[in-house]
């Protein structure tokens, strides 16, 4: 479920310049240099490369991994699950955490850094009880309404809520947050798992460009 970006048509200024015999060679070169300095970078930027940050393996280019906090509240997915098919998760894994508003004093967060101008966050949405099958038995994710909030460079930029459908279906590769107007540069994205009840959403991966 990777977003695609259409390529911009190549400007035809060099061809047009060649069809103007009255222009001097020096003027032609000056205009061509102006075209290359102003237009070419924008054309190249429009063909941005998608880079994936996997929940476990991290950034496919830099190797930097997401951080999870509080660490003890997060569990890496098992090789098998009662509800989630690992074969359909990106890279075969996901991270899950149970947030209990009556017990937890802080949100459970996923934090990742990237350099780019667009970012997409993908989760797995469970609509039935998910047995994480880990040593932390208390972290079984019970299906209830879930809420995520997204902060980019500490600014609140979005939220997502999921109400389980009450069946055994699991939704994969769900884009829970999309932002295509990020200023080009280095950014830190923090995803907070909070809400009035225990979330039933599982972090899978991030794509940025």
């Amino acid at each position: 479920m990777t977003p695609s970006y259409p390529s911009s048509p190549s400007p035809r200024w060099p061809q047009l310049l060649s069809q103007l015999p009255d222009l001097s060679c020096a003027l032609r070169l000056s205009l061509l240099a102006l075209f290359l300095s102003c237009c070419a970078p924008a054309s190249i930027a429009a063909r941005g490369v998608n880079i994936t940050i996997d929940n476990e393996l991290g950034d496919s280019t830099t190797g930097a991994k997401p951080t999870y906090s509080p660490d003890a509240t997060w569990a890496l997915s098992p090789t098998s699950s009662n509800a989630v098919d690992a074969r359909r998760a990106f890279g075969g894994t996901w991270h899950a955490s149970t947030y209990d508003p009556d017990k937890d004093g802080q949100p459970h967060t996923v934090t990742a850094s990237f350099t780019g101008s667009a970012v997409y966050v993908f989760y797995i949405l469970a609509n039935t009880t998910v047995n994480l099958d880990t040593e932390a038995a208390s972290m079984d994710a019970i299906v209830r309404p879930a809420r995520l909030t997204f902060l980019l460079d500490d600014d609140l930029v979005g939220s997502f809520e999921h109400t389980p459908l009450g069946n055994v279906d699991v939704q994969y590769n769900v884009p829970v947050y999309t932002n295509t107007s990020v200023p080009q540069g280095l950014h830190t994205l923090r995803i907070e798992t909070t809400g009035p009840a225990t979330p039933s959403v599982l972090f899978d991966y991030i794509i940025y460009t």
Side-chain angles (χ1 to χ4, degrees), residues 77-167:
S77 60
T79 56
S80 62
S81 170
N82 289 348
V84 181
D85 185 351
R87 296 171 300 179
R88 299 184 63 184
F90 185 87
T93 63
W94 63 88
H95 266 77
S97 180
T98 296
Y99 176 81
D100 187 338
D102 298 325
K103 298 178 181 179
D104 294 320
Q106 59 181 318
H108 299 178
T109 65
V110 181
T111 303
S113 296
F114 66 95
T115 299
S117 59
V119 63
Y120 311 82
V121 181
F122 296 85
Y123 268 61
I124 298 171
L125 304 183
N127 291 301
T128 187
T129 300
V130 177
N131 182 3
L132 298 179
D133 195 22
T134 67
E135 294 180 1
S138 63
M139 290 182 61
D140 284 358
I142 308 302
V143 174
R144 298 173 186 171
R147 178 181 299 162
L148 301 171
T149 56
F150 304 90
L151 297 98
L152 188 65
D153 302 325
D154 292 326
D155 292 328
L156 180 64
V157 291
S159 63
F160 175 84
E161 293 191 8
H162 171 60
T163 300
L165 303 177
N167 55 39

Side-chain angles (χ1 to χ4, degrees), residues 65-77:
K65 296 184 178 183
T67 58
Y68 301 91
S69 179
D71 183 69
T73 66
W74 286 90
L76 179 64
S77 60

